[in-house]
Amino acid sequence: MPDLKKHFNKEAEAFDKQVQKNIPCYNEMLTALINAIPNNKDSPKILDLGCGTGNITQKALNRFPEAEVTCLDLSENMIEIAKDKLSSYENIEYIVGDFTQMELNTKYDVVLSSLALHHIPNDEEKEAMYKNIYETLEKDGVFYNADVIKANSNYNEELNNKVAIQEMKENGVTDEEIAEHKGKRDANDIPTTLIKHIKMLENVGFKEIDVIWKHYSNAVYGGSKK
């Protein structure tokens, strides 16, 4: 995904500031994601898929300080910011690469992702990614994703957009910034419905599938490998 790589290398420096403004419930969403990790291991092996600037890994290590984490991202600039942010931790491996093109050979207890998988171009490739994630999990391992979703009706899609704009304005985002953000999302985001995500997870074998959190066009969902 070369165009996407260029996009995120450019966006890396401003990402943390912008994501808080553009997704008003961002911290709440990430907290729900981290809370979904079972506490059956003190030192789980975690893959942060599309790690960005390291926000997920930071929260995961706050909860599981002894965890071994692999941070994987397409953008070298994002990885460099993550390394700086997480410099006090020694138990992190960093990999620059396209997760849609890589074989995930290591086994993990937990796979997490946030605001990354909606860039996969179509449902067939999304399901193939879910299959790769399923196969890289240990038995009883879990996968949870915090991501942008598409509504299941035109009305709800319009509602999601209306609420997003209202909340961004409450966060001080200008009309010009909103238009710029929308342009970037239209160019780079290919979300699908939460219902389809659940069906794809079922298709590849996930059990105990659940929606942990949802706020209009953002959701945290996933399941376990039994």
Side-chain angles (χ1 to χ4, degrees), residues 91-124:
N91 45 336
I92 306 174
E93 175 189 17
Y94 297 94
I95 301 173
V96 176
D98 182 346
F99 55 68
T100 66
Q101 303 297 321
M102 297 174 64
E103 287 190 21
L104 304 174
N105 295 319
T106 305
K107 290 291 186 180
Y108 295 94
D109 303 300
V110 180
V111 177
L112 301 174
S113 191
S114 172
L115 303 176
L117 301 186
H118 67 274
H119 295 299
I120 297 174
N122 55 59
D123 288 354
E124 291 75 19

Side-chain angles (χ1 to χ4, degrees), residues 122-135:
N122 55 59
D123 288 354
E124 291 75 19
E125 292 182 51
K126 286 180 173 68
E127 185 166 321
M129 189 71 236
Y130 286 149
K131 181 173 175 58
N132 289 342
I133 292 169
Y134 183 84
E135 290 175 350

Side-chain angles (χ1 to χ4, degrees), residues 10-20 53 81:
K10 183 179 178 181
E11 295 291 310
E13 196 167 323
F15 178 83
D16 283 348
K17 181 180 179 181
Q18 290 301 320
V19 76
Q20 297 282 352
T53 61
I81 293 172

Side-chain angles (χ1 to χ4, degrees), residues 36-54:
I37 305 172
N39 59 358
N40 56 354
K41 287 188 177 182
D42 293 331
S43 54
K45 196 170 181 64
I46 299 174
L47 172 61
D48 185 351
L49 202 60
C51 68
T53 61

